[in-house]
Amino acid sequence: MKAIKKLFGKRTKSGFTLVEMIISVALLAILLGGMTIVVAPILESFKDEKQSITASNVSNCVQEYVTRSLRNASQILVVSNASYDDTGSATVTAVTDQMLTYLNKKNSDPTNKTHDIGCISLRYVNGQYILCEEPVKPGATTGSSVLTGNSNTAALQGKVYSDSLYDDLYMNVKFEPAMLTVTDPVTGATTVTQGKDVLKTTIQAYTDKDRKAMVFNGSGISELRQIKVQLRAGAKDANYYIKFLDLGGADDTHKDIYIFYVNRLLKGVK
């Protein structure tokens, strides 16, 4: 018994040998390496899925906001590849003047204001498109800009959503005519025409400013209810329309998107 106690006593005092320590560290390294190989793809997949879901949510928010804002609009002008200063150019005001003329005609009775003019913008700031509401001056004179604020892109006051919504995502946003395929019920022949009362929105999301790592690509159609109703009722296209204007800006200071619209106020409906 004493011999056994003596043997264990010596073993306890001696500890691990150098060889045992090296083998233990090597086995631990192999185990951790194997765990990393298994866990890393799972974590990366989770990150990609989170970014994709966030991008989808941002896209839905933008699409929903634009759709709700334009639902009762009778005249719409989409200006792309522009800057804030471009909103006072002769090209843009040629159309906004038409909006103002229509607006003044509809609001000829000062006691019954039925229409208003508004503008949604997607301002290109530091590689991101920020959704904003632009202050508008309904009484603008012919040939002048109808926008009155938000000119400082470094501190936009009309942001619809907090910057945190974008979660370091870089979006590409494009508004364009929705092309519709119409089939003749008699001949079966099909023709492709531009929809007069629909707006197509395409949004792409990237995780890098250079827009190389795409995590989301989606598009949707917004039905312009007021224009649809008026056109079906036989109204003139000149009074109810959606138009697209590309100013061709090539640098980062000319990538804003502005959507001008004349909106029917529900309180003015009799």
Side-chain angles (χ1 to χ4, degrees):
M1 188 66 180
K2 290 182 178 179
I4 295 174
K5 289 183 177 179
K6 187 177 181 181
L7 178 62
F8 277 103
K10 288 183 178 180
R11 180 63 177 172
T12 302
K13 292 179 181 178
S14 65
F16 293 105
T17 65
L18 179 60
V19 174
E20 290 174 330
M21 288 293 293
I22 293 174
I23 293 174
S24 298
V25 170
L27 291 174
L28 182 60
I30 294 172
L31 179 62
L32 292 176
M35 291 179 63
T36 302
I37 293 174
V38 174
V39 174
I42 298 175
L43 295 177
E44 189 66 26
S45 176
F46 176 77
K47 179 182 178 182
D48 292 343
E49 183 68 18
K50 179 179 178 295
Q51 290 176 326
S52 178
I53 292 174
T54 301
S56 178
N57 289 337
V58 173
S59 176
N60 289 336
C61 286
V62 173
Q63 175 79 15
E64 175 65 19
Y65 191 88
V66 171
T67 299
R68 285 193 293 106
S69 299
L70 302 182
R71 184 175 298 162
N72 292 313
S74 54
Q75 296 183 352
I76 300 171
L77 169 66
V78 181
V79 182
S80 58
N81 291 318
S83 70
Y84 184 85
D85 294 335
D86 292 333
T87 61
S89 68
T91 307
V92 176
T93 54
V95 182
T96 56
D97 289 346
Q98 182 176 343
M99 289 184 172
L100 291 172
T101 300
Y102 177 84
L103 184 70
N104 293 332
K105 181 180 179 180
K106 288 292 184 181
N107 294 338
S108 57
D109 180 359
T111 64
N112 185 29
K113 184 179 179 181
T114 60
H115 289 69
D116 202 356
I117 190 169
C119 181
I120 308 168
S121 69
L122 282 147
R123 304 292 289 272
Y124 192 79
V125 183
N126 297 324
Q128 291 181 315
Y129 277 105
I130 308 298
L131 184 65
C132 298
E133 278 284 355
E134 298 290 338
V136 178
K137 181 171 51 178
T141 57
T142 300
S144 66
S145 174
V146 294
L147 298 186
T148 61
N150 275 348
S151 58
N152 183 5
T153 57
L156 294 174
Q157 300 300 312
K159 293 178 183 177
V160 175
Y161 303 115
S162 169
D163 291 351
S164 61
L165 173 74
Y166 301 93
D167 194 26
D168 295 328
L169 291 172
Y170 297 90
M171 321 293 288
N172 275 351
V173 185
K174 182 179 181 180
F175 296 100
E176 58 187 330
M179 307 308 293
L180 306 177
T181 301
V182 180
T183 303
D184 189 305
V186 178
T187 64
T190 59
T191 57
V192 179
T193 61
Q194 176 183 329
K196 297 181 180 180
D197 49 19
V198 285
L199 173 66
K200 181 180 179 181
T201 306
T202 301
I203 299 179
Q204 299 169 330
Y206 301 81
T207 57
D208 61 317
K209 194 173 182 178
D210 294 331
R211 283 154 168 84
K212 293 181 179 179
M214 181 186 292
V215 293
F216 177 82
N217 181 19
S219 61
I221 299 293
S222 300
E223 185 179 83
L224 309 174
R225 186 173 60 185
Q226 176 67 5
I227 296 177
K228 178 186 289 291
V229 170
Q230 294 299 328
L231 292 179
R232 284 183 176 179
K236 293 181 179 179
D237 289 0
N239 291 330
Y240 300 90
Y241 60 80
I242 177 170
K243 294 181 179 179
F244 299 86
L245 185 61
D246 189 340
L247 297 186
D251 55 43
D252 284 356
T253 61
H254 293 81
K255 287 187 177 180
D256 293 352
I257 302 173
Y258 297 88
I259 305 178
F260 298 93
Y261 60 96
V262 173
N263 198 47
R264 185 187 65 163
L265 303 177
L266 295 179
K267 65 180 181 180
V269 178
K270 295 182 178 180

